[in-house]
Amino acid sequence: MAATGTETIRRLDVLVVGAGFGGIYMLHKLRNELGLDAVALDKAGGVGGTWYWNKYPGALSDSEGFVYQYSFDRDLYAQTPWKTKYVRQPEILGYLNGVVDRYDLREHISLETAMTDASFDEVAGIWTVHTDRGITFECRFLVNGLGLLSATNVPDFPGMNDFEGRLVHTGAWPEDLDLTGKRVGVIGNGSTGNQVITATAPIVGQLTSFQRTPQYSVPTGNYELNPAELRSHRDDFDANWDQVHNSSVAMGFEESSIETFSVSAEERERIFEAAWNKGGGFWFMFGTFCDIATNEAANEEAASFIRRKIAEIVKDPETRRKLMPAGLHARRPLCDSGFYETFNRPNVSMVNLKETPITHVTEKGIVTADGTLHELDVLICATGFDAVDGNYRRVDVRGRNGQSLSDHWADGPTSYLGVATTGFPNMFMILGPNGPFTNLPPTIETQVEWIAEAIRHVSSTDAGWLEVKPDVETAWTDTCGEIADQTLFPRAASWIFGANIPGKKRTVMFYLGGMKEFRSISSAEIASGYPSFMSSADVLAEA
Ligand code: FAD
Ligand code: NA7
């Protein structure tokens, strides 16, 4: 460590930014398996990423617990204590803290330390990373695990700063907030709003849901796993993970191969009913029929089934009308622990923002276009995230020739395999743009292992650096767009295509080709000696 004036310079092999699922595993790989001098930093006050920040009541995984964890260490897997189908936030945070301690990583993670900018010196082949803590890192490799659902999207209604109650975003939840008996407003009803509304309604005084677009949601079907199920998760480890790696959405179940209209209407109803009773948003969309996400008429069958369920559950006709989704069921599928039932409670009401938009916020609460002041003690923004590239654009990252990442991504974020982008040599990303749309730990493991192998390759050869070829990046972006266009997802405005952020360009942000294909392409790249990448000699010779 060298000090210049008030700045401390730390020279490293690798800097990992982010200490969530991705950064933690990356650090373990680099330090404990490759023996490199690697450090991680995170602006959070603890490790865990998503599960550190999202401490709101009701926070729950919507991937099943037996696949929402690491698989790289069988012994670690055997010790995971989770007992329910889906896993609550405190348990996931506890698990990730346990992983950090198990692999002696804690002393190598600098918390409350934000990367503010990063730049590449192509002569020295070194990344210089500045932080808000006066520590500057100089490293050969920079791995960003900044999170794809991490940069919070906070709405900007006039007068918001005047609000005298507590104003919170679910993605930066304050641990001291007690909602008991309070008048609470929740803006947003995506996965998060749905969870927080359902969990808090029984304890608050009055809850008002400010809803813009009604969503399709099915029950989670969460329950305590029986001993035989828990045993089979452990004993069938190889078969289970083999199935995950060879599936599309990596959710731990066999995706359906049955077309919606290949069965009778009665059979269709029976399959949907069984899926509703079993629970799980991804199961409902991908476990029932194979074409719900691709065929509009099939999609409507699924959507109308859910609409009929909502009609059965919600008693008040006016509330029922407001909660009723229309159009495609083609956002990230949701599941809930009694969301629609919550609106039968006397202390819960709904404001339809399409009919009466929010005009402004006062010191007392929210005012809507009909002139009503909704008085609140707490205003919860469950308004989602500037997904995928949001955190990358909040720092100044500069690659070769001083080019900024934001400029490189002016037409939308691009990458090859979600791990590398042209002009940014030896910079890798975990869950970068156009990575797979799956249950994420298996994708994280695939990408971390790929990045570790690339770093090992560069460190042990005279490659100098690896930089993805521009035509390869363009082709990958095109591939992602072409696959997405075969589905219905681009036609529903959501964060999956950047449509949730005012002014954000709508682009493809995921590879929808599935886990199996993604792993096959990723491993072929390594096996063939990185044909999609340029070495430093290639790049400097061209310059
Ligand atoms: P994150 O966990 O987001 O960690 C990124 C870290 O980077 C953060 O701690 C952040 O503070 C840090 N960081 C960012 N920028 C900087 C900077 N400039 N300087 C320093 N640090 C920085 N996925 C699923 O597959 N299944 C689920 O059931 C599921 N449920 C979810 C529920 C919620 C409420 C949310 C928000 C997400 C959920 N996800 C789920 C997605 C989840 O984000 C991923 O599964 C996974 O946790 C991502 O891990 P990560 O390490 O890539 O990113
Ligand atoms: P989402 O799915 O982006 O949902 C955000 C919600 O907030 C959604 O209902 C939005 O309405 C609403 N929203 C956002 N901005 C506004 C404004 N300005 N006014 C009113 N309503 C607004 O985020 P989540 O956190 O629920 O889920 C993200 C992922 O995290 C999820 O898939 C899980 O993987 C975890 P809209 O629908 O845009 O009309």
Side-chain angles (χ1 to χ4, degrees):
M1 195 102 89
T4 57
T6 54
E7 191 190 18
T8 303
I9 298 176
R10 172 90 158 82
R11 297 198 171 89
L12 295 169
D13 295 321
V14 193
L15 179 68
V16 179
V17 187
F21 254 105
I24 292 170
Y25 182 35
M26 192 76 246
L27 191 62
H28 166 57
K29 268 274 180 210
L30 296 167
R31 292 196 64 83
N32 300 330
E33 292 187 18
L34 297 189
L36 294 172
D37 185 11
V39 158
L41 54 88
D42 199 306
K43 61 186 174 189
V47 301
T50 288
W51 304 102
Y52 169 86
W53 291 107
N54 289 267
K55 291 180 177 142
Y56 61 84
L60 182 80
S61 76
D62 63 3
S63 303
E64 291 191 40
F66 83 107
V67 291
Y68 195 70
Q69 53 181 305
Y70 297 117
S71 68
F72 69 83
D73 178 342
R74 211 183 173 120
D75 187 50
L76 167 71
Y77 189 83
Q79 291 179 29
T80 309
W82 302 341
K83 296 229 173 344
T84 46
K85 179 178 172 188
Y86 298 102
V87 197
R88 292 168 50 245
Q89 171 273 330
E91 296 175 278
I92 306 174
L93 185 58
Y95 166 81
L96 289 171
N97 271 283
V99 172
V100 165
D101 291 332
R102 178 185 171 100
Y103 301 108
D104 295 325
L105 299 174
R106 201 168 289 277
E107 63 176 300
H108 307 293
I109 302 175
S110 297
L111 296 170
E112 296 181 330
T113 307
M115 166 170 76
T116 52
D117 60 81
S119 55
F120 185 68
D121 175 341
E122 54 217 79
V123 177
I126 292 291
W127 279 96
T128 299
V129 177
H130 291 110
T131 67
D132 62 353
R133 286 288 166 144
I135 304 171
T136 295
F137 293 92
E138 291 181 352
C139 47
R140 192 157 176 215
F141 303 95
L142 172 62
V143 183
N144 291 312
L146 308 187
L148 53 61
L149 290 162
S150 171
T152 53
N153 169 40
V154 182
D156 185 20
F157 297 113
M160 232 157 139
N161 292 335
D162 300 336
F163 182 57
E164 286 175 352
R166 285 291 287 273
L167 172 64
V168 295
H169 189 286
T170 47
W173 190 264
E175 284 180 61
D176 67 337
L177 182 55
D178 180 7
L179 297 174
T180 314
K182 300 266 168 45
R183 296 167 303 173
V184 174
V186 181
I187 305 177
N189 55 298
S191 173
T192 303
N194 168 325
Q195 290 182 344
V196 83
I197 288 168
T198 309
T200 57
I203 59 160
V204 302
Q206 173 67 37
L207 190 146
T208 310
S209 162
F210 295 89
Q211 177 194 267
R212 197 162 61 181
T213 312
Q215 297 242 44
Y216 296 98
S217 180
V218 305
T220 58
N222 203 10
Y223 69 100
E224 183 119 349
L225 300 167
N226 65 42
E229 287 170 308
L230 289 169
R231 226 181 6 260
S232 96
H233 289 160
R234 284 173 197 153
D235 295 352
D236 302 340
F237 179 94
D238 290 325
N240 288 343
W241 285 98
D242 200 47
Q243 192 284 325
V244 166
H245 292 152
N246 286 296
S247 68
S248 178
V249 290
M251 281 281 171
F253 59 76
E254 212 65 63
E255 284 109 14
S256 173
S257 55
I258 305 168
E259 288 183 359
T260 303
F261 297 107
S262 68
V263 301
S264 67
E266 294 72 31
E267 177 64 359
R268 214 158 35 240
E269 189 73 4
R270 194 196 61 73
I271 290 174
F272 283 137
E273 186 68 32
W276 178 273
N277 292 329
K278 178 181 160 85
F282 275 82
W283 173 255
F284 193 88
M285 186 177 273
F286 296 102
T288 48
F289 297 102
C290 64
D291 49 2
I292 291 177
T294 52
N295 174 329
E296 196 168 345
N299 188 275
E300 174 54 23
E301 290 294 302
S304 74
F305 178 89
I306 299 175
R307 287 197 290 267
R308 275 181 275 129
K309 286 292 182 188
I310 299 170
E312 278 169 25
I313 296 168
V314 183
K315 298 203 173 80
D316 173 55
E318 184 57 8
T319 310
R320 191 189 307 147
R321 183 185 66 78
K322 290 178 183 169
L323 276 165
M324 201 59 79
L328 290 172
H329 174 29
R331 290 176 164 194
R332 191 179 189 280
L334 306 188
C335 53
D336 67 82
S337 305
F339 175 68
Y340 298 117
E341 288 83 348
T342 297
F343 287 87
N344 291 333
R345 297 180 62 93
N347 68 333
V348 176
S349 62
M350 149 82 66
V351 174
N352 179 336
L353 296 182
K354 289 255 164 76
E355 292 169 1
T356 49
I358 295 171
T359 56
H360 61 287
V361 178
T362 72
E363 66 276 13
K364 289 193 177 344
I366 286 179
V367 181
T368 44
D370 56 355
T372 308
L373 166 65
H374 303 268
E375 290 197 32
L376 302 170
D377 303 312
V378 181
L379 173 51
I380 299 174
C381 294
T383 40
F385 301 91
D386 185 355
V388 184
D389 57 332
N391 270 338
Y392 287 85
R393 294 185 192 271
R394 291 176 190 200
V395 283
D396 186 12
V397 181
R398 288 180 185 268
R400 275 197 300 114
N401 303 321
Q403 190 196 15
S404 89
L405 189 58
S406 286
D407 285 348
H408 177 54
W409 287 352
D411 291 331
T414 52
S415 85
Y416 178 51
L417 302 176
V419 297
T421 188
T422 305
F424 297 80
N426 282 357
M427 184 186 94
F428 299 103
M429 298 174 287
I430 306 166
L431 304 186
N434 289 340
F437 185 73
T438 61
N439 169 46
L440 290 170
T443 288
I444 287 171
E445 288 193 318
T446 304
Q447 293 183 326
V448 165
E449 286 158 17
W450 192 98
I451 294 166
E453 189 51 35
I455 289 176
R456 197 201 55 73
H457 169 80
V458 175
S459 305
S460 60
T461 64
D462 58 4
W465 71 57
L466 281 183
E467 178 182 336
V468 66
K469 294 175 180 166
D471 55 325
V472 171
E473 179 167 51
T474 305
W476 182 253
T477 308
D478 292 347
T479 299
C480 291
E482 283 155 20
I483 297 172
D485 285 342
Q486 290 164 27
T487 75
L488 300 169
F489 289 113
R491 291 172 49 193
S494 80
W495 61 264
I496 303 177
F497 290 86
N500 63 326
I501 302 297
K504 187 166 176 169
K505 198 163 179 173
R506 252 172 116 142
T507 50
V508 62
M509 298 220 278
F510 285 95
Y511 170 73
L512 300 180
M515 190 74 205
K516 180 180 179 183
E517 192 60 18
F518 180 77
R519 281 174 67 87
S520 155
I521 299 167
S522 300
S523 49
E525 184 64 36
I526 297 175
S528 329
Y530 303 94
S532 305
F533 287 78
M534 304 176 282
S535 68
S536 50
D538 296 334
V539 176
L540 296 174
E542 257 180 39

